Amino acid sequence: MCTDESPVSQFAAVLHDFDPAVEIVLEPVDSVVVTTLMDNVTDIWMPDQGPARRAGPFSVPKRTAAVMEGGQTGDALIAEHGFSVLVTVTKAGREHRFLFDAGTSPDGVVENMRRLGVDPGSIEAIVCSHGHFDHTTGLDGLIRVLGRVNMPVLIHPHFWRRRRIVLPGRDPQEIPSTSRRALGEAGFEVIEEQQPSFLFSGSVLVTGEVPRTTGYEPGFPPQQAWLDDRWQADPLVLDDQALIINVTGKGLVVITGCGHAGVVNIARYAQRLTRGQPLYALIGGFHLNGPLFEPLIPRVLADLAAMNPGVLVPAHCTGWRAQHAMSARFPAAFVPNTVGTSFHL
C-alpha cells in the first residue's frame, strides 16, 4: 500500500496498491453524528427515536411573509429528490467534518445549512457517492458560499461519464453531469480513485468501487453512457461508493448514496474490508423503488437480517414499499429519515 502525498494528504490517503487479502486497519472513532441536509422527506412533527434527533417545528429561523399576521413565518427546511449528509467524527476529543453528497438543486443544501445553523466553512472534505445530479448539483451553491477553496473531493473515475436513461415507450433522457472544469476552477482538489481511500488519518474509509457479488442486485439497468462516440449500456454504475466508519464498542456505520452497487453488496463489502466487524448502522439510499427493484425486497431484507444491523435508516431512493417492509422486518432497528435529522451514533 502507498498513500497520496498531495497537499490534502492530511485529509485523504488513497490505497493505490490495495490488496483485498491484506487487512485494512480502520481506526475506531469515539462517536459519529450524521446530519441529513437533503432527502426526499421533511416532517416537522417526526419525534426523536433512538439515535435520531429531529430538527422540530421551532428550530428554524423566521422569514418574511407578507400574507401572515405579523409578517413572518418559519423558514422551513427544503426536501427534494436528492441526498446529502454532513458527517462529524470525533476521535480523542478532536472533531472532523465532511460532506457526503450535495443534493439535487444548486441551493437546497446550503439553504438547509443556513436554516440548521451549519457553517459551510467547517467542512474539510467532500465525498461524492456517484456522478448522478441528485447527489452533486448542490456543489454549485457550496462553491458560491465558500468561494475558492483548497478542499479534497473524492470520486470514482466514472463520476464524469455522460449518461442517459432509456425507458420503454419514452424518448431517452440525458442526465445532467458535473463539470470537471467548474470543480477545478473552484479550487477543489479532485481525487479520482477506484480503490478504497482513507480520510482523517484512517478514521473514515471510502469504499471505492464495490464488488458485485450477490448476483441479484442489478445496478441501474435503464442507464447508458456515451463511450467510444456512441451510447452503450452502463447498468452497473461502478462509480457508486459508500462510507465506512468504525465506532468504538458498537461497530460499523455504513452510509450509502443511492446504493446502485446494491445495499447488500455494500454492507458485505464493508465487513469484508474491516475483517468482519459487526454492522451497527446502515444509512442512505438503498434503491429499491419501482417495478425493476421492488421484487428484490424480500431477498434484500433476508440478507440484511443475516448481518443484524442495530440501526437501519432507509432514505432517498429506497421507496415506500421497501421502507414499510423494513419497518415490519426490523421494528427495533428501523428509523425513518427526514431532512434536519441528526443521528448520534
Side-chain angles (χ1 to χ4, degrees):
M1 296 182 188
C2 65
T3 60
D4 181 43
E5 296 300 333
S6 72
V8 297
S9 60
Q10 60 179 313
F11 299 121
V14 178
L15 307 181
H16 293 295
D17 302 320
F18 169 65
D19 180 353
V22 177
E23 182 175 0
I24 286 180
V25 179
L26 179 59
E27 293 289 334
V29 303
D30 298 329
S31 63
V32 180
V33 178
V34 180
T35 300
T36 304
L37 299 177
M38 187 56 66
D39 197 0
N40 298 30
V41 176
T42 180
D43 185 342
I44 64 172
W45 299 117
M46 185 78 73
D48 293 350
Q49 178 184 344
R53 302 290 179 267
R54 311 296 184 180
F58 308 113
S59 61
V60 295
K62 299 292 186 181
R63 64 177 298 174
T64 301
V67 300
M68 306 305 294
E69 287 289 347
Q72 286 191 324
T73 189
D75 201 2
L77 294 169
I78 299 167
E80 59 190 28
H81 181 85
F83 190 68
S84 176
V85 292
L86 182 73
V87 183
T88 303
V89 296
T90 302
K91 180 180 176 182
R94 188 175 180 185
E95 285 190 351
H96 287 294
R97 181 175 282 186
F98 63 99
L99 189 70
F100 182 67
D101 287 347
T104 303
S105 67
D107 296 307
V109 164
V110 292
E111 281 297 309
N112 281 340
M113 284 184 182
R114 179 181 64 79
R115 291 160 168 82
L116 292 168
V118 174
D119 176 13
S122 67
I123 296 170
E124 299 173 72
I126 299 171
V127 180
C128 292
S129 64
H130 62 301
H132 288 167
F133 74 101
D134 50 332
H135 298 254
T136 65
T137 310
L139 294 174
D140 182 272
L142 195 64
I143 289 168
R144 283 186 277 107
V145 168
L146 292 175
R148 187 172 176 82
V149 293
N150 180 24
M151 184 187 299
V153 178
L154 279 70
I155 64 169
H156 183 284
H158 289 192
F159 175 89
W160 309 109
R161 282 189 170 182
R162 180 184 171 192
R163 285 161 162 163
R164 70 179 188 179
I165 304 299
V166 181
L167 297 173
R170 299 187 181 184
D171 293 334
Q173 181 68 47
E174 190 159 345
I175 303 172
S177 55
T178 305
S179 166
R180 187 192 299 263
R181 175 189 55 78
L183 294 194
E185 290 178 352
F188 290 124
E189 179 162 352
V190 178
I191 301 172
E192 301 183 32
E193 186 56 53
Q194 292 177 269
Q195 306 292 0
S197 304
F198 277 133
L199 285 171
F200 311 127
S201 302
S203 298
V204 177
L205 183 61
V206 183
T207 62
E209 196 168 301
V210 175
R212 313 305 169 89
T213 58
T214 62
Y216 68 85
E217 294 175 294
F220 194 39
Q223 179 173 271
Q224 295 181 346
W226 184 255
L227 304 169
D228 300 324
D229 297 321
R230 63 187 179 92
W231 289 107
Q232 299 184 42
D234 183 33
L236 293 182
V237 200
L238 290 177
D239 48 322
D240 186 86
Q241 54 186 5
L243 292 176
I244 310 170
I245 306 167
N246 187 10
V247 181
T248 299
K250 295 180 178 179
L252 302 180
V253 174
V254 179
I255 307 174
T256 70
C258 265
H260 289 297
V263 66
V264 175
N265 282 329
I266 293 167
R268 285 178 175 172
Y269 189 49
Q271 291 191 308
R272 173 186 160 196
L273 287 174
T274 59
R275 294 297 182 267
Q277 290 290 325
L279 181 62
Y280 167 43
L282 186 58
I283 300 171
F286 301 163
H287 217 291
L288 292 169
N289 199 5
L292 281 174
F293 299 96
E294 287 171 356
L296 307 179
I297 293 171
R299 193 167 182 182
V300 167
L301 267 57
D303 285 341
L304 288 179
M307 289 179 271
N308 192 30
V311 179
L312 188 63
V313 185
H316 182 41
C317 54
T318 304
W320 70 267
R321 283 191 171 90
Q323 294 210 22
H324 282 234
M326 289 178 186
S327 175
R329 181 69 181 265
F330 305 100
F334 175 84
V335 184
N337 195 30
T338 62
V339 176
T341 296
S342 289
F343 296 91
H344 294 253
L345 303 165

